[in-house]
């Protein structure tokens, strides 16, 4: 039995030349020759630049953009973005070192994440970056370490808001959470910050991820700004940094529409006068990972074998779950859906078929496309997974089954 699947419509961001997908101005087949082996990830520099331009055009001028680099920490990607955005948000000391290697000044790098260790905090204090404090324990430890190092740490409080980001793929605020300080506990902490001699810069309020509903994001912006202004009444110093999170989603699956960021921008524009009046020194920041990079990246693997089994056609490839966990539906998805997958060197062939694309791992979870319509492929053809520039390689269990780790390139 075959199911016919609706085609992906919005996902034609790469041009096609002579039946072959182009990336970074180069035919995919030529790029595969250049890399010399499959599988690989490729990120298109120009696409990232265009995406930042779109954000700048859509959001109010005074809003700063930060790159949340856990989405794609490849050094070349981070360096490219360092020249385009206003700050970088890191979630580990490993990421911090990559960010510090770029041209981004330390005071525009911030570090969030629960359970920061003494070692991590010391390195971050010495680097002079902003520490988004997730708990009272972190605050006390930061104060102690700052004293020991003879450096006054820059701190922001990460707030776990008293509301949730609706329709979010991943909720990271509201209710009981390991992230941030519950909003109702923040005022006690703010009193202590002053006494501990920490340099308070502001708030970080991140509510969730992968949201495609502009209305939900707008509502969150409104509530986040209201909450910030309420918290600021007890702030130990003027609020200079107001990171209102991000959560802008991208379309992965058929039926999903791109986020309407124009309307988010307009709405934010209307909210800003009140903030400017109450918090005149506050720099508003939106932090985004996926939205900045996901659509610029592809994962490329090669068909090793065409195989029939009881009426179903399988394309067995050299790539899969160990390199791209998310595309197989195993990275937080509740229901497995097909990512946009295509035959990159035969994009426009008239001959179509329904195929199941799998990887080489001995597990049925290693499934890149389940009974999807694509152009007819043969051995050695190149299978491309689109929307792969975020949460790809570094979000995958590369050690599982011991295959080589794929190359990443930026073109
Ligand atoms: C993961 C994360 C982000 C990035 O989320 P995206 O969905 O990739 O935009 C931003 N901020 C924080 C605090 C995060 O943990």
């Amino acid at each position: 039995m075959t199911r016919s699947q609706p085609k992906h419509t919005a996902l034609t961001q790469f041009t096609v030349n002579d039946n072959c997908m182009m990336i970074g101005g180069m035919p995919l087949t030529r790029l595969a020759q250049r890399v010399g082996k499959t599988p690989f990830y490729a990120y298109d520099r120009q696409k990232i630049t265009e995406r930042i331009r779109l954000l700048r055009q859509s959001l109010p001028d005074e809003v700063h953009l930060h790159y949340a680099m856990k989405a794609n920490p490849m050094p070349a990607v981070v360096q490219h973005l360092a020249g385009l955005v206003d700050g970088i948000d890191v979630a580990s000391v490993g990421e911090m070192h990559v960010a510090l290697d770029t041209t981004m000044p330390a005071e525009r790098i911030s570090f969030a994440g629960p359970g920061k260790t003494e070692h991590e905090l010391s390195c971050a204090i010495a680097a002079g970056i902003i520490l988004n404090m997730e708990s009272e324990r972190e605050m006390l430890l930061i104060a102690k370490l700052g004293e020991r190092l003879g450096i006054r740490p820059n701190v922001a409080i990460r707030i776990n808001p008293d509301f949730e980001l609706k329709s979010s793929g991943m909720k990271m605020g509201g209710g009981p959470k390991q992230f941030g300080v519950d909003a109702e506990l923040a005022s006690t902490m703010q009193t202590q910050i002053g006494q501990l001699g920490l340099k308070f810069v502001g708030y970080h309020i991140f509510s969730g991820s992968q949201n495609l509903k502009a209305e939900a994001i707008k509502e969150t912006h409104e509530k986040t700004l209201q909450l910030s202004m309420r918290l600021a009444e007890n702030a130990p110093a003027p609020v200079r940094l107001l990171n209102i999170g991000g959560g802008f989603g991208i379309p992965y699956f058929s039926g999903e529409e791109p986020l309407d960021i124009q309307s988010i921008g307009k709405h934010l524009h209307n909210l800003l006068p009140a903030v400017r009046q109450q918090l005149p020194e506050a720099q508003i920041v939106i932090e985004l990972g996926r939205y900045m990079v996901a659509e610029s990246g592809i994962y490329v693997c090669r068909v090793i074998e065409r195989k029939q089994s009881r009426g179903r056609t399988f394309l067995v490839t050299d790539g899969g779950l160990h390199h791209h966990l998310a595309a197989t539906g195993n990275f937080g998805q509740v229901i497995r859906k097909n990512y946009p997958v295509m035959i990159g060197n035969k994009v426009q062939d008239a001959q179509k078929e329904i195929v199941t694309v799998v990887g080489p791992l001995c597990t049925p979870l290693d499934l890149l496309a389940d009974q999807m319509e694509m152009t007819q492929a043969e051995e050695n053809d190149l299978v491309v997974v689109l929307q792969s520039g975020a949460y790809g390689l570094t979000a995958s269990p590369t050690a599982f089954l011991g295959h080589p780790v794929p190359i990443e390139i930026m073109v």
Side-chain angles (χ1 to χ4, degrees):
M1 272 252 305
T2 51
R3 281 178 285 137
S4 75
Q5 301 239 352
K7 274 188 220 111
H8 290 280
T9 47
L11 306 170
T12 52
Q13 68 266 43
F14 295 98
T15 53
V16 177
N17 194 3
D18 206 6
N19 210 14
C20 185
M21 182 182 159
M22 302 287 289
I23 177 161
M26 212 186 234
L28 181 68
T29 43
R30 177 73 183 268
L31 195 63
Q33 289 171 334
R34 185 184 110 177
V35 173
K37 60 179 186 170
T38 50
F40 61 91
Y41 276 91
Y43 312 118
D44 186 321
R45 188 185 306 273
Q46 189 58 32
K47 291 269 178 292
I48 296 176
T49 307
E50 284 164 15
R51 181 46 66 103
I52 304 304
R53 197 178 302 141
L54 172 69
L55 283 163
R56 297 277 190 206
Q57 282 165 356
S58 313
L59 299 174
D61 289 342
E62 58 265 61
V63 170
H64 273 192
L65 292 174
H66 282 201
Y67 176 48
M69 68 171 273
K70 80 170 188 285
N72 188 333
M74 185 204 185
V77 170
V78 181
Q79 175 59 71
H80 182 60
L81 276 158
L84 299 170
V85 299
D86 308 296
I88 299 176
D89 294 332
V90 305
S92 71
V93 161
E95 287 190 359
M96 180 187 85
H97 288 306
V98 174
L100 289 169
D101 281 342
T102 69
T103 46
M104 187 59 73
E107 61 272 16
R108 287 171 180 260
I109 298 173
S110 56
F111 180 9
K116 297 185 197 75
T117 63
E118 215 172 290
H119 161 76
E120 291 173 309
L121 292 169
S122 296
C123 295
I125 293 166
I129 67 171
I130 296 167
L131 286 151
N132 293 347
M133 306 187 297
E134 310 262 349
S135 67
E136 189 179 335
R137 165 200 161 267
E138 266 183 23
M139 173 182 66
L140 297 172
L141 191 51
I142 290 166
K144 189 181 86 179
L145 296 170
E147 215 161 289
R148 193 188 292 167
L149 294 164
I151 303 165
R152 191 170 176 220
N154 297 312
V155 298
I157 312 178
R158 179 166 182 186
I159 303 287
N160 176 21
D162 41 14
F163 54 84
E164 285 190 346
L165 172 54
K166 287 178 193 151
S167 352
S168 175
M170 246 181 242
K171 287 190 175 40
M172 292 179 68
K177 287 281 176 313
Q178 73 267 50
F179 309 110
V181 177
D182 293 346
E184 54 279 19
L185 303 177
S187 79
T188 328
M189 225 169 119
Q190 301 207 82
T191 317
Q192 287 175 283
I193 289 173
Q195 293 159 353
L196 289 167
L198 299 170
K199 186 167 180 212
F200 171 82
V201 298
Y203 307 111
H204 174 213
I205 310 180
F206 178 75
S207 305
S209 208
Q210 180 50 19
N211 201 309
L212 285 171
K213 299 241 161 41
E215 287 312 313
I217 291 176
K218 287 191 247 181
E219 187 187 319
T220 297
H221 283 166
E222 203 159 330
K223 288 182 176 166
T224 301
L225 291 170
Q226 276 163 7
L227 173 61
S228 312
M229 291 189 276
R230 220 175 338 121
L231 292 167
E233 288 167 14
N234 301 310
V239 175
R240 295 199 293 116
L241 183 77
L242 195 49
N243 182 334
I244 62 170
F248 295 9
I250 61 138
Y252 285 100
F253 309 118
S254 56
E256 290 184 340
E257 292 293 327
L259 183 64
D260 179 3
I261 57 163
Q262 302 292 341
S263 85
I264 292 172
K266 275 196 203 115
H267 181 254
L268 199 52
H269 183 81
N270 294 334
L271 295 174
L272 288 184
V275 183
R276 238 177 271 128
Q277 193 169 13
Q278 212 181 319
L279 308 173
E281 294 178 43
Q283 176 61 61
I284 307 246
V285 169
I286 288 190
E287 58 174 359
L288 300 167
R290 182 192 320 266
Y291 193 83
M292 289 184 178
V293 291
E295 294 182 85
S296 73
I298 58 171
Y299 173 64
V300 185
C301 54
R302 198 178 285 280
V303 178
I304 300 296
E305 181 175 337
R306 265 184 79 91
K307 183 173 176 178
Q308 304 290 334
S309 169
R310 304 207 164 111
R312 192 170 295 179
T313 304
F314 289 86
L315 299 179
V316 185
T317 70
D318 58 1
L321 169 149
H322 51 318
H323 301 158
H324 201 335
L325 188 66
T328 64
N330 293 296
F331 188 60
Q333 295 95 328
V334 182
I335 302 165
R336 192 199 172 283
K337 293 182 199 155
N338 287 330
Y339 262 49
V341 177
M342 55 198 261
I343 307 302
N345 58 319
K346 291 182 176 169
V347 181
Q348 290 163 327
D349 275 3
Q351 193 70 24
K352 304 265 196 304
E353 62 178 352
I354 305 280
V355 289
T356 294
V357 182
V358 299
L361 305 190
C362 284
T363 161
L365 298 177
D366 194 8
L367 180 61
L368 287 171
D370 184 17
Q371 300 179 72
M372 212 174 153
E373 188 188 79
M374 48 191 94
T375 51
Q376 194 166 333
E378 306 302 327
E379 285 173 20
N380 285 321
D381 280 339
L382 296 170
V383 172
V384 170
V385 182
L386 296 168
Q387 313 301 72
S388 296
Y391 304 106
L393 184 58
T394 59
S396 301
T398 51
F400 190 38
L401 272 88
H403 289 282
V405 174
I407 292 173
E408 291 179 288
I409 56 164
M410 186 142 176
V411 279

